[in-house]
Amino acid sequence: MVENCVRILRRAGYRCLSTTDPQRALAMIESERPDLVLTDLKMPSLDGLAVLRRVHEIDASVPVVVITAFATIESAVAAIKEGAFDYLPKNFSVDQLTLVVERALRQRRLSLENRNLREQLQTVLGLENVIGRSPAMAQVFELVKKAARSEANILVLGESGTGKELIARAIHANSPRAPQAFVPVDCASLPENLLESELFGHEKGAFTGAVKTKPGLMEVASGGTLFLDEIAELSTGLQVKLLRALQERQIRRVGGTAQIDVDVRVVSATNRDLRDAVAKAQFREELYYRVNVIEIRLPPLRERAGDIRLLTHAFLKRYGRESVRACDDAALEALEAYRWPGNVRELQNVVERACALAEGDTVTRRDLPEHVLTGGVRVAATAGPAAMPAVESQLAGTTEIPLKDAKDRWMAVLEASYLKRLLERHDGNISAAAKAAGIDRKTFHRLVNKHQIRG
Ligand SMILES: Nc1ncnc2c1ncn2[C@@H]1O[C@H](COP(=O)(O)OP(=O)(O)OP(=O)(O)O)[C@@H](O)[C@H]1O
Ligand SMILES: [Mg+2]
């Protein structure tokens, strides 16, 4: 019977895996993650109901169709009650089988789409979350709307904290692929071999620790959008593999031989000058053109000072809850005058902090950090030898606080200055700078973000 089913379904174009051992079936379900499970109810060693329960523990959206002899129609009903999608009598016809499989797969597609929609609603991702009315941002919105509708790969450029990820999500949410998954991959966060198996997946036993077959994120993103964050940090080896995958629209899992079709739309982001990286042979030119069919450049916050007021009010609403509602003119002026090297993220942090400090229902200058008020050149905004006086000026004025706190502050200033110089020496190449610092890329990246250093 198993062989018959497989033959019929293969002829109808489905990929099938089969076994007559229920325990083995569970292992296969876990590693292969099928879209549908067809199981007999009465089996030696493990009955169909137990299989049903286990499948739903692994993935509740997988439909299970049970096959049952007429004599046990009651158990079929019990199976439906337990969450089986439907049942087939043992003497089913070819049409009955293909019909129930078709229906079950349609239901699975719908429930996956629903799940994605729900996830997107929870994190509300449309363009309405991207705040900005400056001409520069209006242009960005126009481009996002047009570009999102196409299938073209998009490269989002901009300094750290300008909203690249927000835009990438908005592109997905406005694209025909919106019901399918948006899958972010941080290319800077993992060493090369781990990132490779994240992206392409691996077969069981491909390397020590690969105890299960795991589909890669490119497979997961198939039908949807793959967001390659910090794409400039991809190693040369992975650049080659990614390029091949995008050209052939197929991937091979690490340790595997089968070619698996993937249909992804790629949105990438970087705060580095990717064209320059191409010129310096740090980034493959063919990959550059493949991911950069449409380029969206996010202006730094200091070039859209008009948006500062708008953003401040939006963040006040978010962090001030009911208690803090406004920001007085003097404070707003200070916010507008500051250079915001950490862009919107920095503004968001400053407003959140001010909401916590504000005494009444209005944020005043008193609630803003010193460096914002003095227009203070933060280490991050200075360059080269000029950085030294800035460091000193930041070390000064700490005599009013306890030594322990002062030390923390000095350490932060020195760390930021060190990272900034190191990055400059390595032309903004995080991998190289991290190597020189003797720390991994992920830690380095976190520190760079913490100190809001621009690449
Ligand atoms: N235009 C905007 N409107 C509202 N919030 C914004 C806007 N731009 C950025 N933000 C907020 O600022 C923070 C940083 O944005 P995001 O993570 O998208 O920046 P990024 O460009 O990816 O930064 P990085 O290069 O450091 O990863 C987020 O919390 C985001 O919600
Ligand atoms: Mg980001």
Side-chain angles (χ1 to χ4, degrees), residues 197 202-214 254:
S197 91
H202 61 250
E203 293 294 336
K204 182 173 167 173
F207 45 84
T208 5
V211 285
K212 280 188 200 168
T213 295
K214 195 175 156 217
V254 176

Side-chain angles (χ1 to χ4, degrees), residues 164-165 227 229-230 345:
K164 295 186 292 296
E165 175 149 7
F227 175 47
D229 203 1
E230 314 288 356
R345 182 184 292 110

Side-chain angles (χ1 to χ4, degrees), residues 203-380:
E203 293 294 336
K204 182 173 167 173
F207 45 84
T208 5
V211 285
K212 280 188 200 168
T213 295
K214 195 175 156 217
L217 293 176
M218 286 196 76
E219 267 176 78
V220 176
S222 200
T225 305
L226 184 71
F227 175 47
L228 297 172
D229 203 1
E230 314 288 356
I231 192 174
E233 307 309 319
L234 271 187
S235 68
T236 333
L238 279 184
Q239 288 176 26
V240 173
K241 285 177 183 152
L242 178 66
L243 176 63
R244 192 179 319 130
L246 294 180
Q247 280 168 341
E248 293 169 4
R249 297 169 159 273
Q250 276 188 334
I251 55 142
R252 207 162 7 139
R253 293 182 185 154
V254 176
T257 48
Q259 296 281 353
I260 299 167
D261 292 334
V262 287
D263 160 33
V264 292
R265 196 256 185 110
V266 178
V267 177
S268 330
T270 176
N271 55 14
R272 280 183 54 202
D273 183 343
L274 208 52
R275 197 183 293 269
D276 184 55
V278 170
K280 289 188 177 137
Q282 293 162 347
F283 199 84
R284 305 268 317 194
E285 192 169 13
E286 300 113 293
L287 182 59
Y288 174 75
Y289 287 115
R290 188 147 290 254
V291 297
N292 184 10
V293 178
I294 298 176
E295 183 175 290
I296 297 182
R297 222 171 249 279
L298 296 184
L301 188 54
R302 64 184 166 281
E303 284 173 20
R304 41 176 157 131
D307 284 344
I308 291 176
R309 213 166 265 260
L310 211 60
L311 285 161
T312 302
H313 283 115
F315 295 143
L316 273 176
K317 240 192 210 138
R318 190 179 307 168
Y319 300 110
R321 311 258 150 65
E322 290 300 288
S323 51
V324 184
R325 292 148 191 248
C327 183
D328 72 13
D329 285 345
L332 264 177
E333 268 163 37
L335 292 177
E336 280 181 332
Y338 182 60
R339 279 182 61 76
W340 301 111
N343 294 294
V344 184
R345 182 184 292 110
E346 187 182 8
L347 174 60
Q348 184 175 303
N349 292 342
V350 165
V351 175
E352 183 179 11
R353 174 180 178 278
C355 286
L357 295 179
E359 278 167 13
D361 61 0
T362 303
V363 167
T364 66
R365 284 175 62 94
R366 224 187 20 223
D367 309 317
L368 302 179
E370 193 57 36
H371 65 265
V372 171
L373 294 176
T374 52
V377 196
R378 302 200 82 192
V379 178

Side-chain angles (χ1 to χ4, degrees), residues 427-443:
D427 293 324
N429 183 333
I430 295 214
S431 310
K435 204 162 161 197
I439 54 182
D440 63 56
R441 248 184 353 194
K442 186 173 182 174
T443 313

